[in-house]
Amino acid sequence: MSVTEGNGPVDRSTSLIERIEAVEEFAEVTGRLLVVGDMKWADMEADFRLLAINNALRRQQETMQAAVLLARQDLGHLAVAFVRASLEDVMYLEFFLSLDLDDSQKLFTLLGIWDSLRSLIAQRNYIGDEEMAQLWYPKAFLDSRIADKEKIKTELKALQKQYKWSGGMLPSGDWIADRAGKQGLYDYLHAATSRALHFSAGEILRRGWGQPSGKLSTDKAEFRDHLAHFALDQLWRLHLETWQASEPLLEASGISSDEELTFDVIKPALDRLGAAGKVPLVHAREWNLTPDGPLDLEGRG
């Protein structure tokens, strides 16, 4: 919990509307430079990374648009949840692109099937076979998926020993980040953005603002504004990193562009975003620090 000092905005030269418009411009230009379309099925079957790239770039373009819409409605602080997904796009794509194609295909296939089976079996366990049958799932089909799950589990355990990944049967995010060369970025963003999705005592305390002798609010306008700035700033940066990581496989991934456009068309948007400045995740005021030093809290209770 932090003490509210006045009602002025968090110290920043760029207003939220300026940042919103800068991200809008970036999203519009990148949407013309990276047109996410369809890909050849045969190409995708030969390299699942192509599908991952197509999906990641499409989702990131849409999340930037969604973040802008939220920010225009004074709900931009909710867009911090989008940062987690974009971060993982960068990490996992960098990791899979670092593998030989055969190794990538094998691991991607096993992880994909494992995720699908877990969801299917969880649904069966929750609603039961009778309702599953009404959803067109025969019991024999479901029973065979149980056997599939055990087989995939055995194969994943073998890969865990081969790669020596941490996290048990599935690789941990920390291990993926390290292998992708993104450990620092992961340490900075992952846990913090997870708190926007999951229950977190720290995040709950972080959102409490007020005076020890008065009322406390979880709706401080300046803090919501700061989180909106942070989300908008991170989303374009992570989109750019994803683009750069995917560059060798863009065309095969169904990504096209107007042939008359060059990367130079994005320079004004990047210059504008650069001029807006980076936004830290944690603002000093959350720690009761000001430009003039720590707040004197004596006598405020």
Side-chain angles (χ1 to χ4, degrees), residues 83-280:
V83 176
R84 165 75 176 268
S86 293
L87 168 65
E88 294 201 355
D89 285 338
V90 174
M91 287 167 37
Y92 278 86
L93 284 177
E94 290 269 17
F95 167 67
F96 277 106
L97 289 167
S98 73
L99 300 177
D100 291 337
L101 178 56
D102 288 345
D103 291 337
S104 173
Q105 284 294 91
K106 183 176 182 179
L107 180 57
F108 206 108
T109 300
L110 290 177
L111 291 176
I113 295 174
W114 177 256
D115 282 344
S116 298
L117 288 174
R118 283 197 305 170
S119 297
L120 179 64
I121 293 169
Q123 178 173 300
R124 181 192 192 185
N125 291 339
Y126 185 66
I127 69 175
D129 285 357
E130 184 176 339
E131 286 196 44
M132 289 294 283
Q134 294 176 16
L135 298 173
W136 310 345
Y137 292 101
K139 184 176 184 301
F141 172 85
L142 295 170
D143 289 342
S144 67
R145 300 292 80 78
I146 297 290
D148 289 344
K149 182 182 177 184
E150 291 306 309
K151 180 176 179 292
I152 297 299
K153 186 175 182 179
T154 299
E155 294 184 52
L156 280 171
K157 285 182 176 179
L159 284 184
Q160 192 276 332
K161 292 180 180 179
Q162 174 186 332
Y163 285 98
K164 296 181 175 60
W165 67 55
S166 60
M169 189 171 61
L170 299 179
S172 67
D174 186 78
W175 185 85
I176 293 289
D178 182 64
R179 287 289 299 265
K182 300 292 182 183
Q183 189 69 57
L185 185 64
Y186 174 87
D187 290 343
Y188 178 47
L189 293 180
H190 194 269
T193 53
S194 294
R195 296 182 193 122
L197 300 171
H198 309 301
F199 180 88
S200 166
E203 188 68 13
I204 291 169
L205 291 172
R206 182 186 186 203
R207 291 177 182 271
W209 292 80
Q211 294 288 339
S213 59
K215 295 181 179 181
L216 183 142
S217 170
T218 58
D219 193 34
K220 180 174 171 61
E222 294 80 15
F223 184 59
R224 291 160 63 101
D225 181 272
H226 175 71
L227 291 178
H229 273 278
F230 171 76
L232 289 167
D233 184 46
Q234 286 297 328
L235 287 172
W236 76 263
R237 295 179 189 277
L238 291 168
H239 187 58
L240 197 60
E241 284 201 50
T242 304
W243 177 2
Q244 292 170 337
S246 307
E247 188 77 39
L249 298 178
L250 285 178
E251 185 175 352
S253 301
I255 313 298
S256 61
S257 179
D258 186 332
E259 293 183 358
E260 296 182 0
L261 297 178
T262 66
F263 191 80
D264 290 341
V265 303
I266 201 176
K267 189 175 185 304
L270 290 175
D271 289 344
R272 187 177 181 185
L273 286 165
K278 291 184 177 181
V279 182

